[in-house]
Amino acid sequence: MTCKATVEAKMDAKDTLIERFKFFYKDLKRIPLPQIGDIYDDNVIFKDPVQEVRNIEQLHAYLSDLCLDVHSGRFEYLDQMVAEHSAYIKWNMHFKHPKLGKQSITVRGISQIQFNERIYYHEDVYDLGQMLYEQVPLLGGVVKGLKKRLAVN
C-alpha cells in the first residue's frame, strides 16, 4: 500500500468512526446499545457533569438507564474539529425528561473524544445548571436571576 493510500485509509476509518459516534447518540430514547463495542474500547473512560465510568460495561449500564428515563431526546450536531486521534464535536441536546417538566429542554455542549480504532476517552461538557437547576420551579428563577446579575452589559 502506498503512503498516500495508507493516509487515506486512516482518514476514512477516522471519519467513519466519528459518523458512527454521532449516529449512536442521534436518538437518546433508542441508543443502539448492542453496537456499543463497535464504537467504544472495552476500557473506555467516559465523563460528563453527572457521571464518570471506567469501562464499557459501566457505560452500557449508564446509557441504558438514560434510555429508560428520558421521554425523548436527540442531538443536533453543530460543528466539529477532527484530528488524527481526537475530535471535538459541538452540539445541542434537545430532550424531555419526566422529572424536569413537560417542556423540551435544549442544552448546548461539546464532546471531546480520543480514539485509535475505537473511542477510549469520551468527555461531555455542558452546563448542568441549564440542564437541571434552571428547570426546578423556585430554584430555576434564582439561578436565572443570578446569571443575569453576573452578566456584563
Side-chain angles (χ1 to χ4, degrees):
M1 186 179 280
T2 68
C3 185
K4 183 179 177 183
T6 301
V7 170
E8 288 175 358
K10 284 183 180 181
M11 288 176 62
D12 288 344
K14 172 182 61 176
D15 294 340
T16 299
L17 178 62
I18 299 301
E19 291 308 310
R20 285 192 340 237
F21 168 81
K22 290 176 3 184
F23 180 79
F24 187 77
Y25 287 102
K26 188 172 178 135
D27 182 351
L28 290 175
K29 187 67 181 167
R30 293 172 192 80
I31 295 174
L33 290 173
Q35 298 171 11
I36 196 168
D38 296 339
I39 296 170
Y40 287 102
D41 185 80
D42 293 343
N43 297 312
V44 64
I45 296 171
F46 173 91
K47 297 179 181 183
D48 71 9
V50 177
Q51 184 78 19
E52 180 174 332
V53 299
R54 296 206 162 256
N55 63 49
I56 199 168
E57 291 84 17
Q58 290 178 356
L59 180 57
H60 187 286
Y62 178 56
L63 295 176
S64 180
D65 288 346
L66 176 73
C67 290
L68 292 174
D69 290 343
V70 73
H71 274 195
S72 66
R74 67 179 178 82
F75 278 90
E76 171 190 8
Y77 298 106
L78 305 172
D79 197 11
Q80 65 186 36
M81 290 179 47
V82 181
E84 187 174 351
H85 294 288
S86 64
Y88 295 87
I89 303 168
K90 184 177 175 183
W91 42 259
N92 282 331
M93 177 175 53
H94 309 279
F95 70 101
K96 289 183 183 178
H97 194 286
K99 293 181 181 176
L100 298 174
K102 295 181 180 181
Q103 76 279 10
S104 181
I105 299 167
T106 299
V107 176
R108 174 147 311 165
I110 191 164
S111 295
Q112 174 196 5
I113 59 173
Q114 296 174 350
F115 52 86
N116 287 316
E117 292 81 31
R118 294 179 293 163
I119 297 167
Y120 61 85
Y121 181 83
H122 174 176
E123 182 174 4
D124 286 340
V125 179
Y126 55 86
D127 183 351
L128 188 61
Q130 180 186 12
M131 181 181 201
L132 297 177
Y133 310 131
E134 290 181 19
Q135 309 310 317
V136 177
L138 294 176
L139 184 59
V142 172
V143 171
K144 289 175 186 174
L146 285 171
K147 279 185 166 181
K148 283 182 184 177
R149 288 180 62 191
L150 291 173
V152 178
N153 293 323

